[in-house]
Amino acid sequence: MIEISNKYSNLAAELKDSDDTEFENEINSIREKGDVEMIPALVEFIKDEAIDTLRRHKIAELLGDITTISAREILIESIDSLRGKPALAIVISSLWQSRLDFTPWLNIFVEIMFDEELYSAIEAITLIENSVEKLDDNQKSELRNSIR
């Protein structure tokens, strides 16, 4: 379970309760001034299935725009909190669309490929496919063996 810092403990609720204009303004503010400590709160927002799908996808786009390398660990931790939930596919999609390198965690995505529902599995396969070119021959061989 990822922990939301006190600084951002109300962020998901504020986004949920905002009208469309406030939501867009908050998104723009996060895009300009956000930091990696916001990630757990943003993931909590995406996880809430009562929230409009379009809003959840806009937050996922924000996750996909993150370029801070230290965010990778937080994003990977968020994957565990999303297991078995439809939001898992949304977050994995944002990961493979980002410019961050998730090759050190490909084994997690192989597990998802086998253990989660179809949409999440497809997103995991896409992330793996996009990462293979970054692997050396030994790593490719290990990945093949883990999939077999």
Side-chain angles (χ1 to χ4, degrees):
M1 178 85 177
I2 55 175
E3 189 172 318
I4 299 173
S5 73
N6 288 336
K7 185 176 176 182
Y8 299 111
S9 61
N10 295 324
L11 180 60
E14 290 170 7
L15 288 168
K16 183 178 181 178
D17 294 338
S18 64
D19 65 27
D20 290 343
T21 303
E22 292 169 334
F23 183 79
E24 288 298 327
N25 289 339
E26 190 64 32
I27 293 264
N28 291 332
S29 175
I30 292 169
R31 193 177 303 281
E32 292 173 18
K33 303 174 198 165
D35 63 59
V36 295
E37 289 182 12
M38 290 181 161
I39 294 171
L42 296 174
V43 170
E44 280 301 308
F45 181 85
I46 293 171
K47 196 184 332 183
D48 187 343
E49 294 179 42
I51 295 174
D52 176 62
T53 302
L54 181 61
R55 284 186 176 208
R56 292 168 64 209
H57 281 278
K58 285 188 179 217
I59 296 298
E61 285 176 20
L62 279 176
L63 295 179
D65 290 342
I66 295 171
T67 57
T68 306
I69 292 174
S70 62
R72 297 180 314 167
E73 288 83 11
I74 299 168
L75 289 163
I76 291 298
E77 283 180 42
S78 74
I79 295 295
D80 279 339
S81 74
L82 296 172
R83 293 286 184 119
K85 295 177 176 48
L88 178 62
I90 296 169
V91 172
I92 295 173
S93 176
S94 69
L95 299 185
W96 69 256
Q97 293 179 58
S98 77
R99 288 176 265 172
L100 295 174
D101 179 11
F102 292 97
T103 54
W105 299 278
L106 287 182
N107 59 325
I108 292 171
F109 298 100
V110 169
E111 288 176 21
I112 290 168
M113 184 176 76
F114 289 111
D115 297 342
E116 295 294 331
E117 49 79 34
L118 181 62
Y119 187 43
S120 294
I122 290 170
E123 296 298 344
I125 291 167
T126 304
L127 187 141
I128 293 166
E129 177 185 28
N130 290 339
S131 300
V132 169
E133 66 189 34
K134 299 172 189 158
L135 301 176
D136 63 32
D137 289 340
N138 283 341
Q139 291 170 316
K140 287 179 186 176
S141 178
E142 288 175 20
L143 184 61
R144 274 189 214 101
N145 289 336
S146 72
I147 293 173
R148 290 184 184 154

